Amino acid sequence: MSTQKEITIYDIAEALDLSPATISRGLKDHPTIRKDTRKRIFDKAKEMGYQQNLFASNLRRSRSNTIGVIVPRLNSYFMSAVIAGMEKVANAAGYNLIISQSTESKEKELANIKTLYNSRVDGLLVSLAYDSENIDHFDLFLNKGIPLIFFDRVFDHPQCTSIVIDNYKAGYEITSHLIRQGSKRIAHITASIKRNVYADRLRGYRDALADHGILYDEKLIFFCNLSEQAGAEATQRILEMDELPDGIFAANDTTAVSCIRTLKQAGIKIPEQITVAGFNNDPLSKVIEPNLTTMNYPGQEMGELAAATLIRKLDTKEGTSLNTIVLHHNLIVRESSQRKGADS
Amino acid sequence: MSTQKEITIYDIAEALDLSPATISRGLKDHPTIRKDTRKRIFDKAKEMGYQQNLFASNLRRSRSNTIGVIVPRLNSYFMSAVIAGMEKVANAAGYNLIISQSTESKEKELANIKTLYNSRVDGLLVSLAYDSENIDHFDLFLNKGIPLIFFDRVFDHPQCTSIVIDNYKAGYEITSHLIRQGSKRIAHITASIKRNVYADRLRGYRDALADHGILYDEKLIFFCNLSEQAGAEATQRILEMDELPDGIFAANDTTAVSCIRTLKQAGIKIPEQITVAGFNNDPLSKVIEPNLTTMNYPGQEMGELAAATLIRKLDTKEGTSLNTIVLHHNLIVRESSQRKGADS
DNA sequence: ATGAAAGCGCTAACAC
DNA sequence: GTGTTAGCGCTTTCAT
């Protein structure tokens, strides 16, 4: 517990009979410092166990080299892949990550925003909560011109860049695929269409139906929070319908897997009676039997790109004109939707 | 981009014709401030859009209200549950979390330690990398008496608290269970026994064998990094053995699931020919068929407890005498190990 | 190539 | 109950 005194640049300055200014410059490779004094400074710093005090530096420079992250929830495979990607890029560029969860609530999101503002993060990476209607609560950041980048659950705003996949197209593709497999009454289990990801997938679903001459039926749309339990409940309601659907498109894999399990328990044959598709390419999708048809959604890549985009903005100060960056997605067809004799 | 000037307590002081000190006190409910001036201060602060500058505060108080977290990898369900738990507790207590990944490398771990030290985190929550032989590289923190708490992959040290489950007992229980199901040649797939979690489970496995009169056979122990791919490879090697084992205990669920899939492809009946058990109670375990017997490992709870323990230490300054906190675990018996007629 | 000095915004010991 | 004042450790202009 030897709370020894902190070593500061003043201590090094004294030991080397130089000024603090020179030490400060030497430590960050300032061009006007002679090579040998630079070396002396580094050696002494190491010898004395000097560690920079970032508060002082940040206070002085009004810059934190810290990036704030707000996500709805941390406990999913997808989100941890995203964070892993962000951490990798941020760390390599000398940035720290401060992470917080909105737990899907706008109030908590606002609280997080304030905390991160107080921590003077240099920028923000955000995936929005279910119930955030708009992004007025980000004004603190927007008014100050602090970069704000959305990923996955995004919001269109002239000042912000969004990183997404083309959820409309993905929803269209997955629905068309189910139709090509012979499904005509396709249920869709999804979440709040306040969020682009769900609204877009739903649009894709509707247009795919229309383009194949299938009437849209509101009763086939089930809204829930996409948890395992919600998936089971939605499926239960589906099973109680007068006329059973012959296909189900769930907006994430957790729900789709829960759905398959419930259907199997009810003795329904998949994909013969009902085709099922999910979304995300969660590890679960390769394990459930039958294997789940799903949309590959590159979480790690999305995290890396979000962080890289933000850092580029911070380092170059140039307001990149890019407003939306779209990542590739791809349909992974597996047994849960593949009927004999149909093409994929 | 209106980079308006920051509002400081001086601005509020001027507007209210008070001193900065009074504002500072008022803002943090100092007891000696009159209720009505306190209210005036709050109102004015809100009106002017004041936001505390944490750098200045932290610099002055030499305290950051920030907790550093170092984990091997972020992209697993278990780890994201742990982090979710930490974030919840930390946030409620007014702490931020800075998170970094060691990617299982001691060098990266050291780099993370230095960065977090520079950020002057108040304490550290750590799960060790595979290849950290000791914790000398934490000296920076230990020498300064900054609290260091290990969870999951821990290291015994008089200054540090560890949060774990009883891996020895868990390994013993799971192995005994397989034996009771009639397995006599049980393979064990695990990772570096430099880490307590794997060493302890292996000890439990050995002792369970011994207590049931089964000879320990080194050839049945497979070391790998417990990834999906490594699980498949290890299983491949198992399948090539002259005498096939009749039980497999894998040190995590990812590997166990990969193992089951590989065995099934080879036409092996589970649990009839080989019983299989995993570890962690990952969502995967409930989805694989047959459902996987596994050890429930409370990730979220472990994260909450780790954070709460650290924060208690920070807030009370009392060096809690607790050196190890052991969380409950429980065996979840599912089909992958349950043979007809055997008791669990 | 180096030094002197001011100040980033806040807190807390001390004064009244 | 409120004010004065001195720094926390660093960066950076300006001077030499």
Side-chain angles (χ1 to χ4, degrees), chain B residues 60-86:
Chain B
R60 182 56 227 247
R61 294 178 311 136
S62 338
R63 203 165 187 299
S64 66
N65 272 273
T66 298
I67 295 171
V69 180
I70 305 178
V71 297
R73 287 220 131 79
L74 234 25
N75 56 0
S76 73
Y77 182 84
F78 172 72
M79 209 44 99
S80 68
V82 169
I83 304 277
M86 289 177 176

Side-chain angles (χ1 to χ4, degrees), chain A residues 63-203:
Chain A
R63 203 165 188 297
S64 67
N65 272 274
T66 299
I67 294 172
V69 181
I70 304 179
V71 297
R73 288 220 131 77
L74 234 26
N75 55 0
S76 73
Y77 183 84
F78 172 72
M79 209 44 98
S80 67
V82 170
I83 304 279
M86 290 177 175
E87 198 276 341
K88 187 179 152 200
V89 169
N91 202 292
Y95 284 82
N96 282 326
L97 239 44
I98 295 189
I99 296 175
S100 58
Q101 309 182 78
S102 65
T103 60
E104 303 288 8
S105 127
K106 182 177 178 165
E107 279 72 46
K108 184 82 194 301
E109 202 166 73
L110 178 56
N112 291 338
I113 290 167
K114 286 192 174 156
T115 308
L116 292 173
Y117 182 86
N118 288 350
S119 296
R120 295 295 192 276
V121 294
D122 293 338
L124 221 46
L125 300 173
V126 179
S127 181
L128 287 165
Y130 274 144
D131 69 349
S132 293
E133 309 264 354
N134 53 48
I135 58 166
D136 293 352
H137 49 312
F138 285 92
D139 275 356
L140 210 48
F141 281 82
L142 293 172
N143 292 341
K144 282 249 162 34
I146 303 172
L148 176 51
I149 291 190
F150 291 108
F151 63 93
D152 192 42
R153 309 233 205 119
V154 306
F155 193 95
D156 235 11
H157 186 102
Q159 261 174 270
C160 309
T161 300
S162 292
I163 320 267
V164 285
I165 62 163
D166 187 337
N167 284 285
Y168 167 77
K169 195 145 163 264
Y172 186 95
E173 286 170 7
I174 215 160
T175 309
S176 302
H177 162 73
L178 295 183
I179 296 172
R180 279 199 302 279
Q181 295 297 316
S183 299
K184 294 200 159 359
R185 256 176 78 72
I186 301 173
H188 181 35
I189 306 178
T190 188
S192 167
I193 54 165
K194 285 183 197 163
R195 290 283 71 78
N196 64 302
V197 285
Y198 308 115
D200 290 353
R201 288 172 206 173
L202 178 59
R203 272 200 308 117

Side-chain angles (χ1 to χ4, degrees), chain B residues 135-152:
Chain B
I135 58 167
D136 293 353
H137 49 312
F138 284 92
D139 274 356
L140 209 48
F141 280 82
L142 294 172
N143 291 342
K144 281 249 164 29
I146 303 172
L148 177 50
I149 291 190
F150 291 109
F151 63 93
D152 193 42

Side-chain angles (χ1 to χ4, degrees), chain A residues 9-10 24 28 50 60:
Chain A
I9 54 172
Y10 285 90
S24 174
K28 47 185 44 68
Y50 169 77
R60 181 58 227 245

